């Protein structure tokens, strides 16, 4: 598995993160096979959140991987906190309490990375800074990041937080590519030119913040996958043609499209299907040509000015 450096940290991590949001849909045997397959393929970066399965996903993962000190040192663990029922909460008390519960469920003493899960409208950067300082000094969290945040929200945190923000988890796929399209359609009067995220793609590249695309196969907001979907005939025909050229699946090409971008992104796979996971992992071995990347981009309905 090809690796990248995560943000400004010294962490050399797999170019793919294994998302564990749906691991609670698996039986014990299936979960063990899923985790073991990931490890054997070199995909040892696992993405969690305290709300996934109401915390159950972290417990299931710890059981499936048979967590112990030896195994812990061979993997990267990332989790997220901040989403509560009907609200977001970046208060110091909630962050600290959430991390303690995450560590307990994962049966570990530390997280490699903690992400703040979506923006909190009532965020107090000083409180976040106090929480991060305590987590870092205690050794409970080694690195920090955010999810779904725009440039000014990150800058606001930086006003108080001294630790580098090394990752930003953002929704991005071939069909949800506005953060790319608004950079292509600069100075144009069309929908694609609208900056809905404050040029977060360029901001992350300028500040060495690794983008972690989530839902890399979804269109809309969890409306379904675009692969093998009759709603996207031109896109699937183009992906299938390129997949045949490389003798891989359409899943592999969809991930390879994200990996081809020079931002050095780390897509988060959401599948619990072992075969599909292996198809995702194969993408790390493929580098699409410029012509192939743009052909897929246009086939998804994205326009070039």
């Amino acid at each position: 598995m090809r690796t990248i450096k995560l943000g400004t940290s010294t962490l050399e991590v797999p170019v793919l993160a294994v998302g564990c949001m749906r691991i609670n849909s698996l039986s014990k045997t299936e979960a063990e096979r899923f985790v073991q397959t990931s490890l054997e393929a070199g995909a040892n970066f696992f993405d969690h959140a305290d709300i996934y399965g109401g915390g159950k996903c972290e417990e299931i993962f710890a059981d499936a991987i048979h967590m112990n000190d030896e195994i812990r040192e061979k993997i990267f663990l990332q989790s997220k906190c901040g989403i509560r029922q009907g609200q977001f909460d970046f208060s110091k008390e909630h962050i600290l309490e959430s991390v303690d519960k995450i560590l307990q469920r994962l049966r570990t003493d530390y997280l490699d990375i903690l992400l703040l899960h979506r923006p909190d409208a009532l965020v107090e950067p000083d409180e976040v800074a106090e929480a991060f300082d305590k987590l870092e000094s205690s050794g409970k969290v080694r690195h920090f990041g955010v999810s779904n945040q725009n440039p000014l929200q990150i800058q606001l945190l930086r006003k108080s937080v001294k630790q580098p923000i090394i990752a930003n988890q953002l929704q991005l796929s071939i069909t949800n590519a506005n953060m790319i399209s608004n950079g292509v359609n600069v100075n144009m009067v069309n929908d694609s030119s609208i900056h809905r995220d404050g040029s977060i793609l360029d901001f992350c590249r300028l500040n060495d913040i690794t983008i972690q695309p989530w839902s890399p196969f979804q269109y809309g907001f969890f409306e379904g996958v675009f692969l093998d979907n009759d709603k996207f005939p031109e896109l699937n025909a183009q992906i299938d043609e390129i997949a045949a050229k490389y003798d891989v699946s359409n899943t592999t090409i969809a991930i390879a499209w994200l990996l081809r971008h020079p931002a050095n992104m780390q897509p988060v796979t959401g599948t619990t299907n072992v075969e599909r996971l292996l198809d995702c992992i194969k993408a790390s071995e493929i580098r699409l040509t410029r012509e192939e990347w743009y052909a897929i981009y246009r086939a998804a309905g994205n326009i070039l000015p």
Side-chain angles (χ1 to χ4, degrees):
M1 168 74 76
R2 184 162 58 86
T3 63
I4 59 171
K5 192 173 78 164
L6 196 65
T8 56
S9 75
T10 59
L11 295 178
E12 286 288 336
V13 301
V15 74
L16 291 175
V18 179
C20 296
M21 184 174 73
R22 299 180 179 88
I23 198 171
N24 61 333
S25 67
L26 303 178
S27 68
K28 180 178 180 181
T29 300
E30 290 170 335
E32 288 178 343
R33 179 172 178 245
F34 176 74
V35 171
Q36 188 58 39
T37 300
S38 300
L39 293 175
E40 290 174 355
N44 64 340
F45 188 107
F46 298 95
D47 175 73
H48 295 271
D50 58 359
I51 64 163
Y52 294 166
K56 196 67 179 175
C57 291
E58 291 170 329
E59 294 177 352
I60 291 171
F61 172 83
D63 287 338
I65 204 168
H66 305 290
M67 186 69 77
N68 58 44
D69 291 344
E70 182 180 357
I71 290 173
R72 179 65 186 90
E73 293 306 308
K74 296 178 180 179
I75 64 176
F76 298 96
L77 284 181
Q78 171 176 280
S79 195
K80 302 180 283 292
C81 73
I83 298 180
R84 298 176 61 185
Q85 184 64 39
Q87 62 180 290
F88 301 114
D89 190 347
F90 289 175
S91 65
K92 175 183 176 182
E93 292 77 12
H94 182 70
I95 293 172
L96 295 177
E97 180 182 2
S98 297
V99 169
D100 283 342
K101 291 179 178 179
I102 289 169
L103 296 179
Q104 183 179 10
R105 289 190 294 266
L106 288 172
R107 302 209 302 265
T108 183
D109 294 328
Y110 69 96
L111 290 175
D112 294 287
I113 309 101
L114 173 72
L115 304 185
L116 297 179
H117 209 172
R118 291 196 172 275
D120 175 14
L122 303 181
V123 63
E124 295 282 0
D126 288 346
E127 280 199 45
V128 174
E130 289 176 14
F132 282 10
D133 285 345
K134 188 166 185 178
L135 291 170
E136 182 181 49
S137 63
S138 66
K140 293 180 180 179
V141 177
R142 297 184 174 179
H143 303 279
F144 301 86
V146 296
S147 76
N148 305 287
Q149 293 206 14
N150 66 35
L152 290 182
Q153 289 169 327
I154 295 173
Q155 292 286 51
L156 180 62
L157 282 178
R158 284 175 161 178
K159 178 182 177 183
S160 302
V161 172
K162 68 181 182 183
Q163 293 83 4
I165 301 299
I166 67 170
N168 190 6
Q169 207 165 97
L170 298 159
Q171 185 176 17
L172 177 63
S173 71
I174 296 169
T175 54
N176 285 37
N178 181 256
M179 71 172 69
I180 294 173
S181 296
N182 62 44
V184 173
N185 288 270
V186 172
N187 200 39
M188 300 299 295
V189 184
N190 57 37
D191 189 61
S192 295
S193 69
I194 299 172
H195 283 232
R196 293 180 170 86
D197 50 37
S199 298
I200 188 60
L201 173 59
D202 293 332
F203 177 85
C204 287
R205 293 184 71 181
L206 284 167
N207 289 274
D208 294 320
I209 297 172
T210 298
I211 292 175
Q212 297 178 330
W214 57 268
S215 288
F217 307 110
Q218 290 277 335
Y219 68 93
F221 187 71
F222 291 107
E223 293 179 37
V225 298
F226 55 79
L227 293 176
D228 299 319
N229 190 323
D230 292 340
K231 291 182 177 180
F232 303 94
E234 184 179 349
L235 173 60
N236 278 287
Q238 185 65 66
I239 290 175
D240 289 346
E241 178 183 331
I242 295 172
K245 171 187 172 182
Y246 288 95
D247 192 24
V248 295
S249 73
N250 56 1
T251 295
T252 301
I253 296 303
I255 294 293
W257 187 85
L258 292 170
L259 295 180
R260 177 60 176 84
H261 196 280
N264 286 322
M265 301 178 192
Q266 185 192 34
V268 181
T269 64
T271 183
T272 54
N273 180 290
V274 169
E275 286 70 32
R276 195 166 295 121
L277 174 65
L278 291 174
D279 283 343
C280 290
I281 291 170
K282 288 179 184 178
S284 70
E285 304 167 3
I286 293 175
R287 180 178 171 82
L288 298 179
T289 66
R290 179 181 295 269
E291 290 75 17
E292 290 165 344
W293 189 93
Y294 271 105
I296 292 172
Y297 177 79
R298 296 195 311 273
N302 298 301
I303 63 173
L304 297 181

